[in-house]
Amino acid sequence: MTATSDPVDAWMQAWRTELPEVVFPSSELSKRIMFLSAALDRVTRRDLTELGMTVAEFDVLVTLRRAGEPYRMKPNQLARSLMLSTGGTTNVTHRLVARGAVEREDDPTDARSTWIRLTPDGVELAGRAVLAMSAEHDAFFEGVPAEVIDAATAALRDLIAACPALLPRGSAAREARTQGRA
């Protein structure tokens, strides 16, 4: 490996030798994203365990906190925002209610509906968790030059914006992009 190589280079070379037909132009990119994602996931899970919460609980808390005051969302909004099923969101919400971090409140304008809202303890816990995660993620990239971080951020932003798979199914923009590649 060269000074700028990483474990993905070795994996890709092995695939080029062993099964070259599985190597596509996007293969290296996919593997590098997965490699970084797995490493960040390990850091995140370790720190969340120390805070006594799961990744799903963290996601619910920070999504509600990010929503701004009064730190509440409808269950279906929350599920869509988290890309979870409504059932999965309900299970996580039940655990957070038992913990005293969120509460359900009736919607006075719709008797069939409720809001999920952070309690004051939940606001404090979400703040602590976000600060801890931000600090850990910053420490993870310690030593990486700012220009490398900036370039990677810009490249990933462009990639996300250009990726039809990330657009809603059935959207005109997704159809146009998909047809443009054919």
Side-chain angles (χ1 to χ4, degrees), residues 112-182:
R112 299 167 296 159
S113 185
T114 60
W115 292 94
I116 306 298
R117 185 176 67 77
L118 286 177
T119 64
D121 286 347
V123 172
E124 188 273 329
L125 180 59
R128 275 192 303 126
V130 168
L131 286 170
M133 287 303 100
S134 294
E136 283 301 319
H137 292 167
D138 189 56
F140 178 85
F141 289 107
E142 186 177 348
V144 177
E147 60 271 9
V148 171
I149 299 265
D150 292 344
T153 300
L156 288 170
R157 182 181 298 112
D158 290 346
L159 182 66
I160 289 168
C163 189
L166 294 174
L167 296 171
R169 287 203 165 134
S171 73
R174 182 178 180 155
E175 297 307 315
R177 288 212 187 129
T178 303
Q179 291 171 1
R181 294 180 80 187

Side-chain angles (χ1 to χ4, degrees), residues 12 67 76 80 103 119 148:
M12 296 309 300
N76 60 347
R80 274 193 312 272
E103 60 189 8
T119 64
V148 171

Side-chain angles (χ1 to χ4, degrees), residues 6 10 50 54 56 63 66-67 70 76 88 92 94 98 129 132 146 161 166-167 170 178:
D6 60 31
E50 291 173 12
T54 66
T63 299
R66 187 175 55 240
N76 60 347
V92 175
H94 285 317
L166 294 174
L167 296 171
T178 303

Side-chain angles (χ1 to χ4, degrees), residues 2-13:
T2 68
T4 59
S5 66
D6 60 31
V8 176
D9 289 322
W11 302 341
M12 296 309 300
Q13 185 53 48

Side-chain angles (χ1 to χ4, degrees), residues 90-109:
T90 298
N91 290 337
V92 175
T93 300
H94 285 317
R95 291 195 308 265
L96 291 170
V97 166
R99 185 177 182 160
V102 302
E103 60 189 8
R104 293 181 179 277
E105 59 183 35
D106 293 332
D107 182 344
T109 64

